[in-house]
Amino acid sequence: MSVSALVGLQWGDEGKGKIVDVLSRSVEIIVRAQGGANAGHTVKVGDKTHILHLVPSGVIEPRSVGVIGNGVVVDPVQLVKEIKNLEAAGVAVRNRLLLSDRAHLVLGWHKALDVALEVARGAQALGTTKRGIGPTYSDKASRSGIRVGDLLRPDQFRARVREEGGLRNRLLAALGHAPVDPEAVADEALQTLDDLRPLITDTVAFLLQAHAADRHILLEGAQGALLDVDLGTYPFVTSSNCHVGGLLAGSGLPPRALDRVLGVSKAYCTRVGAGPFPSELQGPLESALRERGREFGATTGRPRRCGWLDLVALRYAVLTNGVDEIALMKSDVLVGLGPISVVTHYRIDGQVHRDFPAGEALGRVEPVLRELGPIEDFVGRGSTETELPRVLRDLVALIEDETRARVSVVSVGPERSQTIFRS
Ligand code: GDP
Ligand code: IMO
Ligand code: MG
């Protein structure tokens, strides 16, 4: 197995950071390939909790090399801050982190425009993380972006910032927002150069070489299948392809390099931000899930919306990504909650649907539930499959039956040790 991809199968925050950390001991190179600092990946080691936004979660393992690939949108100020925070927490990453010269830069006006566009959308706001993600990917697609490699030629960089900044300020003014000072934007970005210069390289060439040398590479997806700009609940999505295809394009590795796709799903479902959520709960059950699961955003601190596991959406995510194995996360959160349920299919205008619909039909879904019963206490009770309580085993069997993917990992807590590998 030389190249594996790990993707979120829901609306993000599935527990990708934990699983990447657990896998990183058997992986040499961990790559972020899409998204930006909208991601918040949590790794808990002993009494230390690290939240990673741009740096791959695998770097907590000291022998690994982290790569921020060409498909990531990079806020240079945030990246330097994150590297320094990790160093302060005893994780030295500088000499084993590479940053793609092709990655696009998130600059001051991208963040200002993210806010301005959300305000302009009013009641239709998407609930973005305000990290400048949409405006940066828009600039990339409209071919007016500024890339990490441009930082290495400060004079040309400053000229480009003046040019683009002038245009963006006209847009900000039209939306009734204050301009950003292009000189300050350029200064701020260039101040990161001393820290970032040693990291900037052609990561595509590096990864192709590593692959040719059969080194074990893990592509760490950010966000999740249902936030994918093509396959997700558009327009309530992020601006990148969180799909496994985005991980390939965003790293430069060819599709045939991929040996294995691991999908990550919670044993229930959450979503942060606006948009359809067919299995969403209301009232005390939702609050109970949020409290037990500590469902508050790792990037923005916002409360996450909570609901039952949605097998229609999960099957769609597994099939579109070609997922081989599933890591089922946060199953401990369901212990003691009372009888748990899953959504087995949808009813839309009286018709049964097993395929995940696009667009406005999602707003009209009546979820059809199957109650599985309560999950008995088992946390800390060993680490073999047979020790899982019956209702949890039923849930695993149902997921495997619906998705045809194997549930190879059941996570029963945030710690590394709270991970059950199914043989
Ligand atoms: P990511 O964005 O997919 O990496 O997920 P986040 O880090 O945003 O959110 C997952 C949260 O759940 C983090 O606080 C993790 O520490 C925590 N977590 C991960 N796995 C488990 C688990 O099996 N049980 C519990 N109780 N918490 C978990
Ligand atoms: P990780 O990698 C959960 C959501 C935002 C919003 C929508 C668009 O930690 O799983 P954006 O700022 O990307 O333009 O916001 O996408 N979102 C996430 N939700 N986890 C994430 O990342 C997310 N990244 C973006 O809440 O609804
Ligand atoms: Mg997260």
Side-chain angles (χ1 to χ4, degrees), residues 82-104:
E82 194 170 323
I83 292 170
K84 290 187 173 162
N85 284 346
L86 281 166
E87 285 171 346
V91 184
V93 291
R94 234 173 251 270
N95 55 358
R96 52 193 183 88
L97 184 64
L98 305 177
L99 171 61
S100 172
D101 51 4
R102 292 178 173 88
H104 281 247

Side-chain angles (χ1 to χ4, degrees), residues 13 40-41 298 304:
D13 301 331
H41 296 182
R304 297 173 181 150

Side-chain angles (χ1 to χ4, degrees), residues 184-197:
V185 168
D187 288 344
E188 197 183 47
L190 288 169
Q191 273 161 20
T192 64
L193 202 47
D194 282 349
D195 287 302
L196 296 185
R197 194 194 308 271

